[in-house]
Amino acid sequence: MEDEEEESDLSKQLADSESKFKVLTELNPVGMYYLSPDGNILYCNDMWYEITGHPRGLEGEMSFMNVIAEVDHPVIAKEWELLTTQTGKRAFELRLRNPWFTENGEARQKWIIASCDQEFEADGTTIKTIMGCITDISAQKNAQEELLARANLIQELADRTQEAAHHAEKFQLMADRVEAEEAKRHQETFIDMTSHEMRNPLSAIMLSADGIANSIIDFRSPLENAASAYRELLENNLDAAQTIVLCAQHQKRIIDDVLTLSKLNSALLQVTPVSVQVEDTVRRTLKMFESELLADNIQIAFAVEPSYHTSNIDFVFCDPVRLTQIFINLLTNAIKFTRSESTRSISVSLGASVNKPPKDHVPHIRWFPSKDSSAVQDLTLRRDWGTGQQVYLYFTVKDTGRGLSEQEKDRLFHRFSQASPKTHVQYGGSGLGLFISRELTELQGGEIGVDSKEGAGSTFAFYIKARRSVDVPSNPSNGSTPNLLPADTNHSSPRDSKVRRNYHILLVEDNLINQKVLSKQLRSAGCIVHVANHGGEAIDFLAKTALWHDCKKSGIGMNLSLILMDLEMPIMDGLACTRRIRDLENEGKIDGHVPIIAVTANTRMEQLEMAITSGMDDIVAKPFQIPELMQKMDRLLTSQDSSP
């Protein structure tokens, strides 16, 4: 009886334990299972069925293989063999057939991790069951895959970005190479044209000089009709001399263009406002071309438009040197294209506007846009432009030349560019003049443009900003400060001045040819000329003149009116010599002030400023003509005589 009661209690305890175990397994969030060694399912909890998707009631030998993705069948086969033949726990990942769904309902690959152990019979060697659990790791695996995919995408993007950068670099190198080759081609073309433009007049100069020399040699021989031969000699030599002057002028234009371009490239070009009467500036510029216009039989007319008088323009602050430079370029072009036409005329006009750029006054002009307004400073706002009202000055140059086609107009105002490749061959030029004019116009707050039809002439127009002069100078043309910018003498005539001077001049020049030519020209003008080869000889000569204190006291010194001083010389250059002369004046060894004019080919602004700083009174830039030099000497000596 007692045994039956004990057996009943044990059965109840076992049933209770089994019930508790079942509850625990069903509540467990992982899938739990018992498998026989032959692969039959002995027990699985609900979570196992839910995770695997195995249909209930269809359990059979190795039926769990049906829920595993086919790609992982080799994995489970290997693991099952190890579990049934060897002792030891196993853990491995598997992919299932049924999908895993994201929060958005998107189907993805389902992953599980299976942990397995063995239960043995009483003998300790025979496997009784395979038991374990599975955990759904789909969320973690998909997160890993997304991270990996994102990392791969980032890497791919980085690779593609690097590849794109590499291609961009290669493309930029190719573009730079093409641009460099194009720039090189333009420069080579420019150098070829410049060389051609320099060599042609050089050839003409040499031939003209040979003609003069040979004609004089021939004239030395006895002639039958001496008077007629003498007249022919003078006419031929005069024509040859004029040819030499024109060729030299042409070479100077080319050199000036190259120097201006160099300053533009280096951003060294300055715009210096001074108070001027613009109408007078234009008239003086036109006067430079009188001899050339006369030689080519070109009629020229200058008109001041009503708008100029209506705006009541008189003295304004602007840069007359840059304004003249633009005009010279436009007039040179007009003459170049008009001289070969049957009708030869050029008309120039000057107008003004107060409120806005005067584009309405010349409606047919095609204006070439200037740089971005943010990249161009309004120079008229600077202090040295004064406080007067801002005005716009506009100018036109109209000719009866051959005109331009639409394609040719597109090429204008660009560096090293001419209207067409034939232009250089037929008319010459460096292709820089209009480009420089555009740059100079923009530097002064303006624009430049053209109206032209092929076969019907051209009209070039430009405008610049200026400011009214509040305080009009009493004598603006006669200042004591030397003009550092070399004046344009392209069109000066050697017959401009016939007045003879009796100046006593010391010419300090190391170049024997320049020394000989300039001495002869000065003596022809009535001057008494002494020469020195360098600054040291100039100081030695000064010690023998009446300006030297000891010589003046003894009354034995030679007269000396002024010194013409070259800058670049051996032993002692012009700057050092001038500084030494000023020191001697301060020491009392030289009485008074020695007038010194620099005669130099150094024309950069800093070089000219250095000459003035060293103590020179004025500057004449090579090449020059005698009338210009005489005017400088007259002005300097007159101002010195009038000073106390």
Side-chain angles (χ1 to χ4, degrees):
M1 189 71 177
E2 289 180 1
D3 291 337
E4 290 179 1
E5 288 180 359
E6 288 180 2
E7 185 177 350
S8 176
D9 289 341
L10 182 60
S11 297
K12 287 181 180 179
Q13 290 176 5
L14 288 173
D16 186 49
S17 296
E18 184 178 351
S19 176
K20 288 180 180 178
F21 175 77
K22 187 174 183 179
V23 170
L24 287 173
T25 59
E26 295 303 330
L27 292 176
N28 203 306
V30 299
M32 303 180 69
Y33 56 87
Y34 280 92
L35 303 176
S36 65
D38 56 5
N40 282 306
I41 298 174
L42 301 177
Y43 169 79
C44 289
N45 67 352
D46 291 341
M47 185 57 68
W48 186 89
Y49 283 104
E50 182 179 338
I51 291 174
T52 62
H54 194 292
R56 294 176 185 271
L58 297 178
E59 296 85 354
E61 186 176 335
M62 301 298 288
S63 62
F64 60 83
M65 291 287 287
N66 296 328
V67 301
I68 297 171
E70 190 173 350
V71 68
D72 280 346
H73 279 190
V75 176
I76 187 62
K78 179 181 178 181
E79 293 292 340
W80 184 257
E81 183 180 359
L82 292 173
L83 284 167
T84 56
T85 58
Q86 298 181 17
T87 303
K89 298 178 181 179
R90 303 294 299 171
F92 46 89
E93 294 180 355
L94 294 171
R95 282 167 283 193
L96 303 184
R97 289 182 184 275
N98 65 325
W100 173 79
F101 293 94
T102 65
E103 292 180 356
N104 298 327
E106 185 180 353
R108 299 282 183 87
Q109 177 68 60
K110 180 177 279 190
W111 285 83
I112 62 169
I113 183 169
S115 300
C116 305
D117 201 356
Q118 299 137 326
E119 182 184 7
F120 294 94
E121 297 286 355
D123 58 11
T125 58
T126 304
I127 297 174
K128 181 179 180 181
T129 60
I130 304 296
M131 58 184 177
C133 62
I134 60 172
T135 304
D136 190 344
I137 60 170
S138 301
Q140 294 92 321
K141 292 294 286 187
N142 277 276
Q144 288 177 3
E145 288 178 358
E146 287 182 357
L147 287 173
L148 182 60
R150 191 174 301 167
N152 290 338
L153 179 60
I154 291 172
Q155 184 61 45
E156 184 179 357
L157 287 173
D159 292 342
R160 290 188 178 182
T161 302
Q162 185 175 3
E163 184 180 0
H166 178 65
H167 286 308
E169 185 178 357
K170 286 178 65 178
F171 178 79
Q172 186 60 47
L173 287 172
M174 289 175 61
D176 290 345
R177 186 161 55 248
V178 170
E179 185 178 350
E181 289 173 355
E182 184 69 10
K184 182 182 177 184
R185 187 181 66 80
H186 279 304
Q187 288 184 349
E188 286 175 348
T189 303
F190 166 67
I191 291 171
D192 289 343
M193 289 191 302
T194 303
S195 176
H196 177 272
E197 289 298 302
M198 295 292 283
R199 286 177 179 275
N200 270 346
L202 272 177
S203 176
I205 288 171
M206 293 174 69
L207 291 173
S208 297
D210 285 344
I212 292 173
N214 291 334
S215 64
I216 293 175
I217 291 171
D218 292 340
F219 189 73
R220 288 178 177 175
S221 304
L223 300 172
E224 294 181 2
N225 191 349
S228 175
Y230 179 69
R231 188 163 45 251
E232 183 179 357
L233 172 70
L234 290 178
E235 290 175 355
N236 291 339
N237 286 356
L238 178 60
D239 181 66
Q242 290 174 337
T243 299
I244 290 172
V245 170
L246 288 173
C247 290
Q249 291 168 358
H250 180 75
Q251 286 183 308
K252 184 178 183 297
R253 287 186 201 133
I254 299 295
I255 294 169
D256 288 343
D257 281 351
V258 174
L259 289 175
T260 302
L261 177 68
S262 174
K263 290 179 181 179
L264 285 170
N265 288 342
S266 306
L268 296 175
L269 202 64
Q270 300 293 323
V271 176
T272 307
V274 295
S275 184
V276 295
Q277 287 180 308
V278 177
E279 183 180 348
D280 289 346
T281 301
V282 176
R283 291 187 185 279
R284 283 197 298 271
T285 305
L286 295 178
K287 192 168 182 62
M288 293 179 185
F289 289 85
E290 276 186 353
S291 58
E292 192 169 350
L293 292 165
L294 185 63
D296 291 319
N297 194 25
I298 299 174
Q299 300 296 319
I300 190 162
F302 173 52
V304 179
E305 296 188 5
S307 61
Y308 189 82
H309 299 298
T310 303
S311 302
N312 195 27
I313 303 296
D314 190 12
F315 281 91
V316 297
F317 271 103
C318 69
D319 190 332
V321 175
R322 301 304 174 203
L323 175 60
T324 300
Q325 197 170 355
I326 298 170
F327 250 113
I328 287 173
N329 284 331
L330 295 184
L331 285 169
T332 300
N333 266 0
I335 293 171
K336 181 169 63 177
F337 289 106
T338 304
R339 60 163 55 105
S340 59
E341 300 297 316
S342 56
T343 303
R344 304 173 193 171
S345 65
I346 297 173
S347 58
V348 177
S349 68
L350 164 64
S353 175
V354 175
N355 298 321
K356 59 180 181 179
K359 295 184 178 180
D360 295 341
H361 295 274
V362 276
H364 301 297
I365 294 293
R366 174 187 171 187
W367 297 95
F368 283 75
S370 59
K371 302 181 185 75
D372 182 359
S373 58
S374 62
V376 179
Q377 291 183 332
D378 189 348
L379 299 179
T380 62
L381 298 178
R382 294 180 180 175
R383 183 177 300 174
D384 54 351
W385 284 75
T387 57
Q389 181 188 22
Q390 181 175 279
V391 295
Y392 295 92
L393 304 173
Y394 67 92
F395 312 83
T396 64
V397 177
K398 184 177 182 180
D399 64 62
T400 58
R402 67 172 182 82
L404 301 168
S405 66
E406 290 299 320
Q407 187 177 9
E408 288 174 330
K409 283 189 282 187
D410 290 337
R411 292 196 185 98
L412 292 178
F413 305 112
H414 294 289
R415 189 193 306 256
F416 306 137
S417 178
Q418 293 183 314
S420 74
K422 296 179 181 178
T423 303
H424 163 66
V425 176
Q426 187 172 356
Y427 299 99
S430 64
L432 285 177
L434 291 180
F435 169 75
I436 289 171
S437 297
R438 178 181 182 180
E439 293 287 320
L440 293 177
T441 303
E442 291 177 2
L443 277 175
Q444 298 174 84
E447 290 180 309
I448 193 168
V450 64
D451 175 31
S452 182
K453 291 183 180 179
E454 198 165 4
S458 303
T459 300
F460 285 85
F462 69 96
Y463 71 88
I464 60 171
K465 286 183 181 180
R467 283 190 179 273
R468 294 186 190 274
S469 295
V470 177
D471 299 319
V472 178
S474 58
N475 189 8
S477 61
N478 294 326
S480 58
T481 304
N483 179 15
L484 297 184
L485 293 172
D488 191 293
T489 59
N490 288 352
H491 305 276
S492 298
S493 168
R495 300 185 298 274
D496 284 349
S497 177
K498 291 297 182 183
V499 179
R500 294 178 64 81
R501 281 83 164 177
N502 60 348
Y503 300 147
H504 292 253
I505 298 170
L506 173 60
L507 173 60
V508 189
E509 167 69 72
D510 64 317
N511 186 293
L512 296 180
I513 294 177
N514 287 345
Q515 197 182 93
K516 175 183 175 182
V517 172
L518 183 53
S519 297
K520 184 177 179 181
Q521 292 282 340
L522 290 171
R523 290 187 181 108
S524 298
C527 301
I528 298 170
V529 183
H530 306 275
V531 295
N533 295 302
H534 52 78
E537 290 185 2
I539 299 295
D540 293 340
F541 180 84
L542 263 175
K544 303 173 185 177
T545 68
L547 295 174
W548 199 265
H549 182 74
D550 293 340
C551 290
K552 186 176 182 180
K553 285 175 61 178
S554 61
I556 59 172
M558 295 181 288
N559 290 328
L560 181 64
S561 305
L562 59 84
I563 298 176
L564 299 178
M565 182 81 70
D566 187 21
L567 296 188
E568 301 291 339
M569 295 180 292
I571 302 178
M572 180 184 283
D573 63 38
L575 298 176
C577 180
T578 301
R579 284 191 286 265
R580 180 57 184 152
I581 291 172
R582 299 310 178 209
D583 290 341
L584 291 169
E585 291 173 355
N586 294 330
E587 294 168 8
K589 294 182 179 180
I590 295 177
D591 290 337
H593 178 84
V594 180
I596 303 176
I597 296 177
V599 181
T600 178
N602 296 340
T603 57
R604 285 190 291 111
M605 179 63 72
E606 55 268 30
Q607 292 172 323
L608 302 179
E609 289 176 347
M610 193 180 299
I612 295 299
T613 304
S614 71
M616 294 186 180
D617 297 290
D618 211 336
I619 299 168
V620 174
K622 297 176 182 177
F624 60 88
Q625 291 179 280
I626 290 299
E628 179 195 0
L629 178 60
M630 287 300 180
Q631 290 172 9
K632 293 270 188 180
M633 293 193 297
D634 292 343
R635 187 161 55 244
L636 178 58
L637 293 175
T638 300
S639 63
Q640 178 148 320
D641 290 341
S642 61
S643 60

